Amino acid sequence: MTAHAARTGVWFIGARGSVATTATAGCAAVAAGLHPPTGMVTETPPFHGAGLPPLTSLVFGGHDTLDCPLPKRAEALAAGGVLPHGLPSAVRSELTAADEEIRSGGPLPGDTRTDEKLVASFATDIQDFTHRHGLARTVVINVASTEPAPGADDSRLPASSLYAAAALRAGCPYANFTPSTGLRSPHLREAVDSCALPHAGRDGKTGQTLLRSVLAPMFVQRALPVRAWSGTNLLGGGDGAALADPAAAAAKNAGKERVLADTLGSAPEGEVHIDDVPAMGDWKTAWDHIAFDGFLGSRMILQTIWQGCDSALAAPLVLDLARLLARAHELGLTGPRPELGFYFKDPDGGPAGLPEQYQELLAFAERLRAAR
């Protein structure tokens, strides 16, 4: 089977959520030539000839605890302005095919299965998907709602770690696009160290933190001390509801604060607040207030406002990661991939600033090209 004939699986955790639905519909739209690949870094010239799986070769499936069919979910996103009008109808067959590959996730209330049985069940679902479709490989990507960080005394693995463990058991590359624990559970350390699979980061960098990762290096490089950096997020949809839980919000904010501390050398004063505004749906407004010192101690202020759709920002990055991890797996690359830190608030090593991360990503593209 040639590289171009081989097909690649993309298994979403949270497969009926906004990000996964947008990615699935968007891949079909771009592959059919209905829309340009806006926001997909892997479709830019530096990645041409890098041996990435074509968008037309991707096959979608996943786990979810929701039962709303993907075509209906896509129609709701179109009604909210997230997807273009008419797109759900244009790619209905692709959405229906992906929906038929979504399996029930968990643990659901009343589920008495042990962690081991849950992991085994999830891994079997992924392996069956890969084998039935004759896929060269399947990449597992967590795009589910943020979960609270587990407590020190928790005896059970959080759901994100159950899915991550299942990905490793199924022999699949893995990326965690959420702030949830995933592979970072201490209970999975041995499995991660011995898995011989490529995996990447935690918590996708899409909006407010993307801007922070560009601005923070500017202050450092221009020798402008930052005194305080505060922010507010207003958002609705599933993320807004999930982040209304203070524990989930704390997990989310940890990544935002980490970018500043890693880049500036210490965490400045100030906090990030997240407010659930259901009327906003999948749209988000993020505001930052930055206080910094200029020459001779002059006090200065920079304020930024970011307005966008989280799903539309995240979907092209998720498709990028699926393709890059699939190619890394094809080449036998293993372990955490710091070259993909460009996509994450909490990357697996590498620089913290976006410009430097982009250069590392370009170097990775050159490495992939040279391996052909």
Side-chain angles (χ1 to χ4, degrees):
M1 185 180 291
T2 67
H4 289 291
R7 295 194 298 168
T8 298
V10 181
W11 188 267
F12 285 132
I13 308 305
R16 291 191 171 110
S18 296
V19 173
T21 304
T22 303
T24 303
C27 181
V30 174
L34 301 177
H35 288 272
T38 305
M40 287 193 66
V41 181
T42 53
E43 285 293 302
T44 59
F47 291 86
H48 295 170
L52 304 182
L55 293 175
T56 52
S57 75
L58 301 184
V59 182
F60 295 92
H63 281 115
D64 209 317
T65 57
L66 303 177
D67 57 8
C68 179
L70 274 184
K72 186 174 181 180
R73 186 75 181 95
E75 290 170 2
L77 290 175
V82 177
L83 296 180
H85 176 72
L87 182 62
S89 296
V91 298
R92 180 173 293 276
S93 61
E94 290 90 341
L95 290 170
T96 299
D99 191 68
E100 291 173 351
E101 298 298 337
I102 298 175
R103 300 295 177 261
S104 179
L108 295 167
D111 194 333
T112 60
R113 288 177 292 176
T114 64
D115 286 355
E116 168 57 30
K117 288 184 177 180
L118 287 164
V119 170
S121 175
F122 297 157
T124 297
D125 290 337
I126 300 169
Q127 290 169 327
D128 285 349
F129 169 73
T130 303
H131 295 153
R132 279 187 295 102
H133 289 280
L135 305 176
R137 59 193 46 83
T138 294
V139 180
V140 177
I141 304 182
N142 183 14
V143 289
S145 296
T146 301
E147 67 187 13
D153 298 328
D154 288 352
S155 60
R156 299 289 301 268
L157 286 172
S160 65
S161 295
L162 295 172
Y163 292 121
L168 300 188
R169 187 170 300 187
C172 298
Y174 171 85
N176 185 4
F177 207 72
T178 81
S180 301
T181 305
L183 290 179
R184 302 289 179 89
S185 169
H187 302 292
L188 297 183
R189 187 169 296 125
E190 183 177 343
V192 173
D193 291 343
S194 63
C195 71
L197 293 164
H199 52 89
R202 182 168 66 171
D203 200 1
K205 188 163 51 187
T206 56
Q208 183 182 45
T209 310
L210 174 67
L211 194 57
R212 286 179 166 212
S213 67
V214 174
L215 290 175
M218 176 195 73
F219 288 109
V220 173
Q221 293 161 7
R222 291 296 298 269
L224 299 171
V226 174
R227 293 185 293 108
W229 198 316
S230 300
T232 295
N233 278 266
L234 308 177
L235 71 161
D239 271 355
L243 295 173
D245 179 349
K252 182 75 171 177
N253 286 337
K256 295 177 179 290
E257 294 165 358
R258 187 181 301 107
V259 168
L260 295 183
D262 288 350
T263 306
L264 300 176
S266 61
E269 293 181 6
E271 298 179 347
V272 177
H273 298 276
I274 299 178
D275 294 329
D276 178 25
V277 185
M280 295 183 69
D282 283 278
W283 297 84
K284 178 170 84 171
T285 295
W287 169 75
D288 272 28
H289 179 97
I290 308 160
F292 64 99
D293 289 336
F295 191 52
L296 303 179
S298 56
R299 297 294 181 92
M300 303 189 190
I301 298 293
L302 173 64
Q303 294 185 350
T304 66
I305 298 177
W306 177 285
Q307 294 178 309
C309 172
D310 254 3
S311 301
L313 290 164
L317 308 184
V318 165
L319 294 172
D320 278 351
L321 285 166
R323 302 173 80 194
L324 290 164
L325 283 168
R327 178 65 170 143
H329 185 253
E330 179 185 11
L331 295 178
L333 302 181
T334 63
R337 306 314 311 171
E339 309 95 334
L340 303 183
F342 174 77
Y343 293 97
F344 296 100
K345 298 182 183 74
D346 187 6
D348 293 304
L354 193 73
E356 295 81 8
Q357 290 174 335
Y358 181 60
Q359 292 306 313
E360 286 219 355
L361 184 63
L362 293 183
F364 188 51
E366 181 59 35
R367 180 181 178 184
L368 297 181
R369 245 192 327 270
R372 294 204 73 178

